[in-house]
Amino acid sequence: MDAAVIAIWVLRLIFLALLYAFLWMVVRALVRDLRAAAREPTLELGRLVVTASPSGEPAAGVSFALDAITSLGRDVNNSIVLDDDFVSAAHAALTYRGRAWYVEDLGSTNGTFVNGSQVDSLSPLAFGDEIQDLPLTRCEPGQALLLLEEQRPVNELDHERPLVGIDA
């Protein structure tokens, strides 16, 4: 055999070994990331607390942990279902971008209001803001009122349990 042919075969084998080593490192990193994502989260992004619900569903005081994208509306396919005559099927969406929350009206009939001001496009939210489905400063009969609250460690959470001391 010629020395050039042997050198080419050696280079091919080295390249193949490097390729398999690279693929093994990629798979190992993916498995590590998947395992980390599957673990119980230590901190939720935020909570939405129902401070008033005229229909009673969900009940006042119920707390919902928020995902990075949370949809609100009357349809059962929403993340948070509000059984309210003034809420549209796909009413609003809450999104967590960077380190801030934003609310967006999804073309609802009555509109979405934050602290009494109508949301026209993507609007920032702060913890303590009230999300309403009618332009009223206080909750009136027939109006759902939701409060955005800060995140807290998961071991302190009691999902969907009425909270004590919520003022409507």
Side-chain angles (χ1 to χ4, degrees):
M1 268 190 147
D2 189 356
V5 173
I6 293 175
I8 290 175
W9 274 103
V10 168
L11 285 175
R12 284 181 181 175
L13 291 175
I14 290 173
F15 176 74
L16 190 61
L18 289 174
L19 181 64
Y20 278 117
F22 173 75
L23 290 174
W24 181 77
M25 289 188 318
V26 167
V27 168
R28 193 176 90 180
L30 287 173
V31 168
R32 190 177 322 140
D33 287 347
L34 287 173
R35 285 183 182 157
R39 284 189 213 121
E40 189 69 29
T42 58
L43 197 65
E44 65 179 12
L45 298 174
R47 295 182 308 136
L48 200 60
V49 178
V50 179
T51 56
S53 179
S55 67
E57 194 57 43
V62 171
S63 173
F64 294 98
L66 297 176
D67 294 325
I69 299 173
T70 303
S71 60
L72 305 171
R74 209 175 35 211
D75 189 14
V76 294
N77 294 323
N78 289 300
S79 303
I80 298 175
V81 178
L82 301 170
D83 187 21
D84 186 341
D85 292 336
F86 295 102
V87 174
S88 297
H91 195 87
L94 297 172
T95 54
Y96 188 75
R97 297 179 183 183
R99 293 185 179 193
W101 280 101
Y102 295 88
V103 64
E104 180 179 13
D105 186 75
L106 299 176
S108 63
T109 305
N110 295 320
T112 302
F113 296 82
V114 175
N115 299 327
S117 301
Q118 186 165 8
V119 173
D120 295 324
S121 61
L122 194 64
S123 298
L125 283 176
F127 292 115
D129 282 351
E130 293 179 334
I131 302 168
Q132 304 159 251
D133 59 357
L134 289 174
L136 302 171
T137 56
R138 297 307 302 156
C139 188
E140 299 292 332
Q143 178 189 12
L145 187 62
L146 307 167
L147 179 70
L148 181 66
E149 288 191 349
E150 286 190 74
Q151 60 207 26
R152 60 183 181 165
V154 170
N155 58 2
E156 296 178 13
L157 295 178
D158 294 324
H159 294 290
E160 297 193 24
R161 218 176 94 198
L163 301 174
V164 179
I166 298 291
D167 296 328

